[in-house]
Amino acid sequence: LVEMYARSGKYLEARRLFDLMRNRDELTYTSMIAGYGMQGEGRGALKLFEEMNKFQIKPDDVTMVVVLSAYSHCGLVFEGEMVFKEMYSVYDFNKYLLIWYSPVEMYARSGKYLEVRSLFDLMRNRDELTYTSMIAGYGMQGEGRGALKLFEEMNKFQIKPDDVTMVVVLSAYSHCRLVFEGEMVFKEMHSVYDCYITMREDFNKYLLIWYSLVEMYARSGKYLEARRLFDLMRNRDELTYTSMIAGYGMQGEGRGALKLFEEMNKFQIKPDDVTMVVVLSAYSHCGLVFEGEMVFKEMYSVYGIIPRLERFDCMVDLYGRAGFLSKAKEIISRMPYRPSTALWATLLGDCWIGNTEVGILAAEKLLEMGPENSGYYVLIAYLYATAGCWDKLAKARIFIRD
């Protein structure tokens, strides 16, 4: 009964029953600690674990996994580290591979990849879970080459990656600088990942893997390769379409982005909020003002998406890039949000040539907000110099100096 309540997230009811129990064992404590962990109540989990030690109830390997996972998910790295060190002196960890996985995950989540690596090197046995956590840790730190080396090591020891491993690998290289370092690095990644996935039939059912690979190519500007894989996919969702549209947008291929968005509607794949940002950004960079206006109007009426501040940023950029500065100013005045510094900076950046009146307004609004981004003051100074506002330029230079 305690476990039932704990698993369903009703940890208060679980605790009430737990307090009524005369006898408690490691199973009951494990269920309660897991319940607290799922609710993000790391301190409660810690207190229960201390209570176990107080009553000399010896935790088993499952208990230790639950304890470390609770600390990992709650960000209590120091407490988890203390528990782990105590565990290490008591348990033969090499018998319990799952216990190793928990501290590795804990350190990886907190960004302490050096500590992760030291633990990883101590392990006699490693499986795909441990490698996946390690690769994810390197990816979060932008250590793409370290992640690549670990994946090659997996293949060397014939440890078969699962779908989660492949998603982590591809996401790591998609989000770190590795994909932008040159054609040789790109070809190396292509030979490892593209062939590995496209030649394995059992990976066709894992849509997230295909999405990660398409995203990797799209982010690196290889939209032709991204499109080739996209066309090979049996199933597509809003994530995959969003990555492809972003890829076309980055290459200035607005018509291609528009065609993909129309295809999404044709197949009744509902775009999400992120998709709408990518679509508007693509139209903005390609000067497709009419198309952008239509999409913005349909966000709520057709797709039921309430436009957030970032969507208005996209519209201001769309109008500003096309030279419709009065429209950009109008949408700022009508939107239901307080303009951000980034929004005024966007408008200011589009006023370098042309409407200095709107640019001066944006510059004044930025100065009122006192942004910490020094680049904004450079924009302001440039605008004042263009408009011949020498007194204001002198003040802007003081801000830049400070």
Side-chain angles (χ1 to χ4, degrees):
L1 197 56
V2 168
E3 183 184 31
M4 181 187 71
Y5 279 126
R7 280 181 174 271
S8 61
K10 297 182 178 180
Y11 69 97
L12 292 178
E13 289 87 342
R15 182 72 209 212
R16 181 175 57 82
L17 287 176
F18 181 80
D19 291 337
L20 289 172
M21 294 177 67
R22 296 179 182 174
N23 299 309
R24 301 163 189 163
D25 61 4
E26 74 279 0
L27 291 176
T28 321
Y29 273 100
T30 300
S31 295
M32 278 302 301
I33 292 169
Y36 275 107
M38 285 188 289
Q39 296 299 316
E41 294 286 338
R43 300 291 177 185
L46 174 60
K47 192 174 180 181
L48 281 172
F49 185 61
E50 290 173 348
E51 190 178 296
M52 282 187 75
N53 293 326
K54 177 183 175 182
F55 294 125
Q56 297 183 328
I57 299 173
K58 186 178 179 181
D60 59 11
D61 58 312
V62 177
T63 310
M64 302 315 299
V65 169
V66 169
V67 167
L68 289 172
S69 293
Y71 294 161
S72 172
H73 285 81
C74 299
L76 300 173
V77 180
F78 176 75
E79 292 87 345
E81 193 171 28
M82 293 298 101
V83 170
F84 172 71
K85 287 178 179 177
E86 184 179 349
M87 287 166 57
Y88 191 78
S89 63
V90 175
Y91 285 89
D92 181 3
F93 269 32
N94 289 298
K95 290 182 180 179
Y96 304 107
L97 186 58
L98 204 59
I99 297 182
W100 279 104
Y101 167 68
S102 297
V104 166
E105 182 193 36
M106 180 180 69
Y107 283 128
R109 280 177 175 268
S110 63
K112 296 186 174 183
Y113 70 97
L114 293 177
E115 289 86 344
V116 175
R117 186 73 215 204
S118 63
L119 281 179
F120 185 79
D121 291 337
L122 285 171
M123 295 175 68
R124 295 178 193 167
N125 302 307
R126 302 163 188 165
D127 64 358
E128 73 281 357
L129 287 176
T130 322
Y131 271 101
T132 300
S133 290
M134 280 296 300
I135 292 169
Y138 275 105
M140 285 189 288
Q141 297 298 317
E143 294 286 337
R145 294 199 181 277
L148 174 59
K149 191 174 180 181
L150 281 170
F151 186 60
E152 290 173 346
E153 190 177 297
M154 282 187 75
N155 292 325
K156 176 183 175 182
F157 294 125
Q158 297 182 327
I159 299 173
K160 184 181 176 182
D162 59 10
D163 58 308
V164 178
T165 311
M166 295 309 302
V167 169
V168 167
V169 167
L170 293 169
S171 294
Y173 299 122
S174 174
H175 288 86
C176 72
R177 291 186 302 245
L178 188 63
V179 291
F180 298 104
E181 290 178 352
E183 191 66 19
M184 292 304 295
V185 175
F186 174 78
K187 286 180 179 179
E188 182 182 18
M189 292 172 64
H190 176 279
S191 64
V192 173
Y193 303 115
D194 187 11
C195 297
Y196 188 85
I197 290 176
T198 55
M199 293 178 66
R200 291 178 61 90
E201 283 295 318
D202 56 326
F203 274 114
N204 283 315
K205 60 184 178 181
Y206 298 115
L207 186 61
L208 199 58
I209 295 178
W210 287 92
Y211 157 68
S212 299
L213 190 57
V214 168
E215 183 191 36
M216 182 187 73
Y217 282 127
R219 277 179 176 266
S220 61
K222 304 288 181 179
Y223 73 98
L224 293 178
E225 288 85 346
R227 183 70 205 220
R228 180 178 60 81
L229 285 177
F230 181 82
D231 291 337
L232 285 172
M233 293 177 68
R234 297 175 187 173
N235 302 305
R236 300 164 189 164
D237 64 358
E238 73 279 359
L239 291 176
T240 323
Y241 272 99
T242 299
S243 289
M244 276 304 305
I245 292 169
Y248 276 107
M250 285 188 288
Q251 296 300 314
E253 294 286 339
R255 298 295 174 186
L258 175 59
K259 190 174 180 181
L260 280 172
F261 187 60
E262 290 173 348
E263 190 178 296
M264 282 187 75
N265 293 322
K266 176 184 175 182
F267 293 126
Q268 297 182 326
I269 299 173
K270 187 178 178 181
D272 60 12
D273 189 56
V274 178
T275 310
M276 303 310 290
V277 173
V278 169
V279 170
L280 288 172
S281 295
Y283 293 169
S284 174
H285 283 81
C286 302
L288 301 174
V289 178
F290 175 75
E291 291 84 351
E293 284 181 324
M294 291 302 297
V295 168
F296 187 74
K297 289 176 182 177
E298 292 174 351
M299 280 184 68
Y300 183 74
S301 61
V302 176
Y303 305 110
I305 300 172
I306 299 174
R308 299 181 182 177
L309 178 60
E310 292 81 3
R311 312 318 153 248
F312 287 95
D313 282 357
C314 291
M315 289 305 296
V316 169
D317 189 48
L318 176 71
Y319 286 132
R321 283 175 181 267
F324 300 133
L325 297 173
S326 57
K327 279 194 172 186
K329 180 183 172 184
E330 181 185 352
I331 201 169
I332 292 175
S333 63
R334 290 172 53 190
M335 69 181 191
Y337 302 101
R338 183 175 180 269
S340 64
T341 54
L343 189 147
W344 286 120
T346 298
L347 181 60
L348 178 60
D350 293 326
C351 294
W352 283 7
I353 300 174
N355 197 328
T356 55
E357 180 184 346
V358 175
I360 290 172
L361 170 66
E364 290 174 351
K365 292 293 184 181
L366 264 177
L367 287 173
E368 286 176 10
M369 299 175 79
E372 296 182 359
N373 188 329
S374 59
Y376 292 164
Y377 294 105
V378 174
L379 278 175
I380 292 169
Y382 189 92
L383 187 281
Y384 284 151
T386 303
C389 301
W390 308 116
D391 291 342
K392 291 181 178 180
L393 174 60
K395 291 179 181 178
R397 283 178 171 168
I398 291 172
F399 279 113
I400 293 172
R401 184 191 65 196
D402 292 342

